Amino acid sequence: GANKTAASWIAIIVWTVLFAWELVSTQLAIANPVLFPAPEAVFNVFPTQWPTLLQNIGASLQLLAMGALTAIAAGLVLGAVCGWVPALQSVFAPIARVLAPIPSVVFSPYLILLVPTFRMASATVIFLGIFWPMFLNTIIRVNSMDRRIVESARMRELSSAEMVKDVILPYLLPGVMNGLNGQLTAAFTMLTFAEMLGASSGVGYYIINYTNFANYVNVIAGIMTVALLVTVLNWLIDLARRRLVKWR
């Protein structure tokens, strides 16, 4: 089917890139050996440095959970509440419209001074970058809910808390799952930047650290690690989404 065809094309492209890489770096020797090390040198990093890579992957995933997952959950719940309660929406929606488009990285110099640790500052950068867009989009989606659902809930005389918990959040959850891949991409972009703020671990730190030493063998291995990590996380999100759609 289409998935097998896509997988075949992906395999062809990957092998073509690897062949061209090997050709220009070793056989033809036309590329700068420092900037374009041989593929075998890069792939040798994984078996020789896997404990270090795993440690940095764990640090990045922990930071991602501290920042992105808490921001998604908080943005969803608080956005649902503010979207349902007009008084709250009239206060917080205008604030969200101002803050959502601002890249969270502009706050990083202040966060480093305000927050006790670099790691907490990094998590806060990720949190702010995900929370405000999530919060605002949730309010917008609550306002665009099918009016039949809203009227049906009102006929049951649900309280605001019951409405949010039993109607709005289940209604929003599939849409949140559909948007998680995009949120993940944005979170990883912010994660890489955040780990440059003074972190002592993480995949972004690993890449920047070896860039400073001009060790591009390890830099390329780090970039491959990020690509693999994003691929696995996207696969897990797709798996969770399929189960959710089946449940619906």
Side-chain angles (χ1 to χ4, degrees):
N3 289 337
K4 289 184 178 180
T5 302
S8 298
W9 275 106
I10 290 171
I12 291 170
I13 291 170
V14 169
W15 281 111
T16 302
V17 170
L18 289 175
F19 176 76
W21 181 8
E22 177 72 25
L23 195 65
V24 300
S25 63
T26 58
Q27 302 301 319
L28 300 179
I30 59 176
N32 186 319
V34 176
L35 294 177
F36 294 95
E40 54 266 28
V42 174
F43 287 116
N44 189 52
V45 172
F46 296 101
T48 56
Q49 292 196 22
W50 64 267
T52 302
L53 286 170
L54 282 179
Q55 181 183 4
N56 285 300
I57 287 172
S60 289
L61 289 177
Q62 185 184 42
L63 194 58
L64 196 66
M66 289 167 61
L69 293 185
T70 54
I72 290 170
L76 176 62
V77 174
L78 296 178
V81 173
C82 288
W84 178 248
V85 181
L88 293 176
Q89 184 175 161
S90 63
V91 174
F92 290 104
I95 297 174
R97 288 191 183 94
V98 172
L99 294 177
I102 300 175
S104 62
V105 296
V106 303
F107 300 114
S108 56
Y110 301 99
L111 290 173
I112 291 173
L113 297 175
L114 294 173
V115 180
T117 65
F118 280 113
R119 191 161 181 79
M120 187 61 68
S122 299
T124 307
V125 167
I126 299 170
F127 180 91
L128 293 175
I130 299 293
F131 172 79
W132 287 114
M134 184 73 187
F135 178 76
L136 181 59
N137 288 335
T138 302
I139 291 176
I140 293 170
R141 294 187 62 223
V142 172
N143 288 332
S144 63
M145 280 179 64
D146 189 332
R147 304 321 296 174
R148 291 173 297 179
I149 297 175
V150 176
E151 294 303 324
S152 175
R154 281 184 173 143
M155 288 176 61
R156 293 168 56 192
E157 298 183 348
L158 298 177
S159 67
S160 291
E162 290 171 331
M163 181 67 189
V164 170
K165 180 173 68 74
D166 299 332
V167 178
I168 296 177
L169 289 179
Y171 173 84
L172 295 176
L173 192 57
V176 172
M177 294 297 298
N178 287 333
L180 274 183
N181 295 92
Q183 297 277 12
L184 178 69
T185 301
F188 256 94
T189 302
M190 285 177 279
L191 173 69
T192 305
F193 177 84
E195 287 178 336
M196 300 178 194
L197 295 178
S200 57
S201 60
V203 180
Y205 162 78
Y206 181 90
I207 294 170
I208 295 303
N209 182 52
Y210 283 108
T211 300
N212 293 334
F213 288 102
N215 185 340
Y216 295 107
V217 173
N218 286 19
V219 170
I220 295 173
I223 293 170
M224 288 182 170
T225 301
V226 171
L228 181 61
L229 193 55
V230 172
T231 301
V232 171
L233 289 176
N234 274 320
W235 176 79
L236 292 174
I237 290 170
D238 289 336
L239 181 64
R241 184 188 299 116
R242 284 196 298 271
R243 298 207 171 183
L244 177 64
V245 171
K246 183 179 178 181
W247 172 77
R248 287 188 74 200

